[in-house]
Structure formats: structure tokens, C-alpha cells
Amino acid sequence: MPAPEDASTSTSPAPLVTFKSLGLIDPLLEALEQVGYKAPTDIQVESLPHALEGRDIIGVASTGSGKTAAFALPILQKLWEDPKGLFACVLAPTRELAYQISQQFESLGSAMGARCAVVVGGMDMPTQAIALAKRPHIVVATPGRLMQHLEETKGFSLRSIKFLVLDEADRLLDLDFGASIDKILKVIPKERTTYLFSATMTTKVAKLQRASLSNPVRVEVSSKYQTVSTLLQYYLLMPLKDKDAYLIYLINSLAQNSIIMFTRTVHDAQRLSIILRTLGFPAVPLHGQLSQSQRLGALGKFKSGGRRVLVATDVASRGLDIPSVDIVINFDIPTHSKDYIHRVGRTARAGRAGKSITLVTQYDVELVQRIEQVVGKKMELWPTDPEEIALLKERVSEAARLAATELREQGTKSNNRKRGRDDGGGRDDKDRDDDVVEAGMPKKHHKRAKNRR
């Protein structure tokens, strides 16, 4: 197979490039104006002309670069010309990202009545089957659940699709969706247009590219893995034993801002959200152990301003476009530098300014230095008031004790529910099966899980 062409000789768009000059039709131009897109981003400038010519695209761009519109716009333009049946399938690594992509398709395609169906784990299979039976134009899915529908839902197939999109391809493969993607590639038409978008080009992504794209154009607007120039990056140095107190001091001094705080574990996400609520800060957790409706509810509260602090694991670090996040706090430092870049990419999006603040204990210095080396930028020290922090310690310790008690009680209730399910079965077994399929567990194990019900 021929090597992909390199479409970009420059990383910056020409001064007078507009969506109209790129060749988009009037219904899409009107929709772009309504959603507030003033000018195309770099990835859109580089990829749209080739996409509108019908070429396969490999897009490599950093987080927050406008990748979703870069693949949604050419698909919607072709849909306008030939609005028949199931037209496109988009594969995404997380449930939240799938919903977000669907919303963007529907807002940009509102003038042409574009209909989307979202197919992800953790939600009701029959309801999704009904949505698929209504012949949507675009299906946005996580690979495991899509494969389940292809195998189990009568009348549903992807034999007529014209477009396949693999979004956040590096993350799709990191999450072991490779087997499901291979199966999906076998049941879709070979005559199709394929877009593959990824923040990084790993060897796995390169292999997927060779298997799924035909003579693609490669579009790369950020060859170096880096943070955006509008992001101000700070660190806060503290002893490990006082970490909670320093966090509360920080949240207190930033009380008027919208904040996403990242933790390494689900336990800390739950624990810190309880501590924050106990001390009067409206916070909501977001992590993989919540049900899908709880996860969407948490996102909804944060986006609407009902909660000022979102305490999240890395489930929220990739792809989610949450408007006007002022500050990202790293309660724990990620072990991989690219995860740091994805986290802090939740703020300073689309040219806006933003701040990231990383909590650094005596055990984290080496990790911070490695991150600074990768992003090519030194973090600045965030100023603190030691006396104020000392005054907070007792209240924070008490809140931490209350949080530990609450989590123990939740654990006891959860164990009791689990024993009840083991005795008589229940709805949560189905949710567990959804997660089995979505995580790419081999089919024989999935069948065994089903037989337990």
C-alpha cells in the first residue's frame, strides 16, 4: 500500500481562510455561525479540502484542536448530497465522548435533519435497538457494544455505510478494543471513506491505518506533543501528609472558578468530592464505577454551573469538550506525560486562556521534571500562605474522617446489594455484562457471565 501523503507543510492556516473558502455549503455555514465557530482551526484548514475531495484522512492533532468538526463537516456535506439510510459510523473510546460527538453532529447537521444514534455500554440494549431500527444517518458507538448489536440485533448491519471514523484511535487501541475493531472492519463495505484521528501515532495506530485506509492523506498540525501557549502551568509543593489541606486552601482561593480536579484512583475521586461537599464547596465526582446516567448527570451539573468542581479520574481527560473550564488541578501526578497533556487540555481550549496547578509532594519531584522536559516548559510556583494552611488542617482532617466513614457505609451497602444479586439476580448483572463486552473480554467469558444470571 502506498505511503500516506503529507498534506501539511506549515502548521498555521493562511490568514484569510474561512469555512466558506474551504468549500462548505450554505446549510453548514449557517450551522457553524449558530454554534459560534468563527474561523476554522489548523486541523480543519488542513483536512477539509482533502476530505471534501473524497480522500481518506489520517489526522494527527493535539487535544482541543477541533478534530470532531474536521470529520463531521465533510460527512454532513456528503449526506446533504445523498441523504439515504445509515450513512456513517463513528467509533469512540469512551461513552461520554460518543455522546459529545453525537451532539456535535446533530447541531452542525440541524438544517438537514441529521439523526444520530448513540450505542454504548452501560445503557439498555433494547432501547438502543429501537433507535437503530429508526434508520439514523450516523451511528456513534464504542466498539464493544457496536459489535454486540451487530451480532444480536436483528435487521441491523453496517453494510451500507459510506464513512467510517476512528476517533482518538490511540486511546481505542490502549483500551484493548483492537479485536472488536478488527471484526467491525470485516463486516463493513470495502468501498468507503475512512477517517482516522489520533493525538499520537503509535505503532498500533500505524498498523490500524494500514489495515483500514486506502491511499490516505496525512494531516499533522502538531508534530511535537505539547501544551497550548495560552495555558499557564503552576505547581504547589507540600509534604504528603498535608496534601488534603493544601488542596482545600487552593480550592478556597479559587472559589469563583470552574475547576476540574484529576485523581489517580476512583477511591480518591469519591473521597475528595465528599470532603469538598462537607466543607461547603459544590463538587461532583466522575469516574468509571458510576452508572452511565450518573456520569452524564455529573457532567450536566458541571457544564450548567450547578457544580463548580468536577473531581474526576482519567475517564474525563480525553476528548470531552467542556466549555469555559478555568482551572485544571492535578491532585495526583500522572505517571505518563501524555496523560498530563490530555488532562490540562481540558482548559485553555480554542484559543482561550487557562491555568493548570499540579500538587507535588516530596515523592513526585522526578515525575514533574519529566513532564517539564516533555512539554518544554517550566512550571511556576503557585504562591501559598502557610499560616492559612495551618489553620485549615484540623477542619480538613475532620472532613476526611467523615468521608472515610461515609465510604465505609457505602461499601457495606454495596456488598449487601451484591449478596442480594448473588441470591436472586438483578439489573446490575446486565450492567456488568455491558462492561465485559465494552472492555473487549473474549466472547466465551461473556457467555459465561450471561449464564450466571
Side-chain angles (χ1 to χ4, degrees), residues 14 23 43 78 84 87 109 128 143 161 186 223 245 256 264 266 298 341 343 352 394 404 411 414-415 434 451:
I43 189 69
K78 294 291 183 185
K84 290 179 185 172
F87 199 75
Q128 292 177 350
I161 65 164
K186 286 174 185 170
S223 57
Q256 300 309 308
R264 190 175 295 128
V266 169
I341 292 165
R343 285 181 178 189
R352 293 187 289 263
E394 191 174 332
S414 176
N415 288 334
D434 292 335
N451 291 337

Side-chain angles (χ1 to χ4, degrees), residues 96 100 247 251 254-266 268-274 276-277 281-288 290-332 342-343 345-347 357:
E96 287 76 18
Q100 184 175 292
L247 174 70
I251 296 283
L254 300 168
Q256 300 309 308
N257 295 274
S258 63
I259 300 166
I260 297 184
M261 178 167 64
F262 286 102
T263 67
R264 190 175 295 128
T265 65
V266 169
D268 265 341
Q270 293 174 306
R271 184 181 72 85
L272 291 170
S273 62
I274 295 169
L276 286 164
R277 286 201 303 270
F281 301 102
V284 64
L286 176 66
H287 53 73
L290 297 173
S291 71
Q292 187 57 32
S293 57
Q294 287 173 320
R295 282 156 75 167
L296 291 172
L299 269 177
K301 285 176 184 173
F302 183 68
K303 282 184 173 182
S304 67
R307 297 288 186 274
R308 304 295 294 177
V309 184
L310 184 70
V311 188
T313 58
D314 282 309
V315 75
S317 71
R318 289 285 286 265
L320 293 185
D321 186 14
I322 302 170
S324 64
V325 174
D326 301 314
I327 292 162
V328 167
I329 295 175
N330 289 300
F331 181 78
D332 297 306
H342 286 303
R343 285 181 178 189
R346 299 310 95 209
T347 186
I357 306 166

Side-chain angles (χ1 to χ4, degrees), residues 245-253 382-385 388-389 392:
Y246 273 79
L247 174 70
I248 298 305
Y249 166 81
L250 191 56
I251 296 283
N252 194 36
S253 62
W382 186 269
T384 54
D385 183 338
E388 197 171 325
I389 292 166
L392 283 169

